[in-house]
Amino acid sequence: MSDKTLSGMEWIQLGKRYLMETYNRFPVVPVRGEGMTIYDCDGKAYLDFLGGIAVCGLGHSHPEVVAAIREQASSLTHVSNLYHIPQQIEVARLLVENSFAQKVFFCNSGAEANEGAIKLARKYGHEQLRGRDEIITMKNSFHGRTLATVTATGQEKFQKGFEPLPEGFVYVPFADIEALREAITDRTCAIMLEPIQAEGGVIVPYHGYLKDVRALCDEKNILMILDEVQVGMGRTGKLFAHEYENITPDMMTLAKALGNGFPVGALLATERIAAAFVPGSHASTFGGNPLGMSAARATLHVLLGDGFMDHVTQLGVYMKQRLEELRGNHQCIKNVRGCGLILGMEMDMEVGDIINRCIEEGFLVGSAGTHVLRFLPPLVVEKSHVDQLVGTLDYILGDI
Ligand SMILES: *Cc1c(COP(=O)(O)O)cnc(C)c1O
């Protein structure tokens, strides 16, 4: 096929013809990436401040991850979980040694990891909590698009049209510990939440909230499930965001940055809870295959290297400060918030036009809802990249 020679506009038209229209796509056709930079099929370069939505934490085509995938692909790609997979055992060991957890289950996405968490919580509830099976989640949350995870997601706009939804979910406002306490009944088996609501608009709860949730879970003998799919894997400057509050959950889900772009998800749990899963309880054909695990192992190796988290923290502080300066110059910026390198800038207008102007100027940025610009750069971002973005935003916002 000579399709490689199509222009960006031609690809966009062809895509409209063949793909289900589940996305409102921006007019960019990326074909190559390196570190912070993406190149489109017409040769234009973009600085990537979205990182594939918090996926490419180490930047595009990180040499160590590329080498690992290349080497693994040429020796063994897939064998099935009917056999023992050394790469899978190694990644599980790395995650366990660097977290609260004792056991890991691997899958292929964030939704699947959360689906696994919901199933494990219910199974544990049925067997160990006298049949309790209800899960409390947060309004404005995001946990995925499968039927159970879209039901866990406390936003009607994602659920509308897909009824009947699975039963057993109850919603409370985020960062409201009294509302949470009141929602607990003798049916409640677990509370599931994001440490920072990412899709919901980069909402950071008051400091101490996770500690309060942990205490409540302990008091009521309820499981605490943290969805760290977006904010885990170093995004906030700690390997996992909950480390900021010195607490440990009973379960945690990961995906996005875990394979730096190779699809890998994981459900982590303590030994006591993981024991509710026995052979046959749960499975995934692709989950934990040698290829995905080689990508995750290389990614973890870089993330856990000396000084990596310090860089994230420093750049997070720097970028937030530069965005705050920008706010001083532009009244349309209402608020700058976030932690480490997940940052949101709330505007007094819809952000679609701003994102399109950024694209024209060679910058990829995201949104969270209609009024919040969201920045999720690869964690290897440097101050000079931030300065370029801020300079361009300054110019665009002056113009709008
Ligand atoms: C992206 C995301 C998910 C869903 O992950 P998928 O890989 O798209 O299924 C779940 N939870 C959170 C917090 C996310 O950001």
Side-chain angles (χ1 to χ4, degrees), residues 26 50 140 197-203 323 332-338 342-352 354-355 365-376:
F26 291 101
L50 186 58
N140 197 45
Q197 290 191 326
E199 299 298 319
V202 190
I203 311 292
L323 293 176
C332 58
I333 304 174
K334 287 172 67 178
N335 191 300
V336 174
R337 56 197 185 224
I342 173 166
L343 294 168
M345 198 159 81
E346 188 177 341
M347 310 297 293
D348 70 358
M349 60 181 134
E350 296 200 356
V351 296
I354 302 172
I355 294 174
V365 302
S367 60
T370 52
H371 284 62
V372 178
L373 282 173
R374 182 171 40 152
F375 306 102
L376 297 159

Side-chain angles (χ1 to χ4, degrees), residues 39-58:
Y39 301 89
D40 74 12
C41 66
D42 301 317
K44 181 174 169 178
Y46 302 83
L47 269 186
D48 184 5
F49 277 86
L50 186 58
I53 317 187
V55 167
C56 303
L58 309 183

Side-chain angles (χ1 to χ4, degrees), residues 4 27 136 152 256 279 316 323 358 361 367 380:
K4 274 211 171 108
I136 301 175
K256 290 200 165 84
L323 293 176
C358 285
E361 300 294 332
S367 60
V380 295

Side-chain angles (χ1 to χ4, degrees), residues 109-111 114 142-144 194 199 227 229-230 256:
S109 70
N114 287 331
F142 184 81
H143 297 296
E194 302 155 87
E199 299 298 319
D227 178 346
V229 167
Q230 187 154 159
K256 290 200 165 84

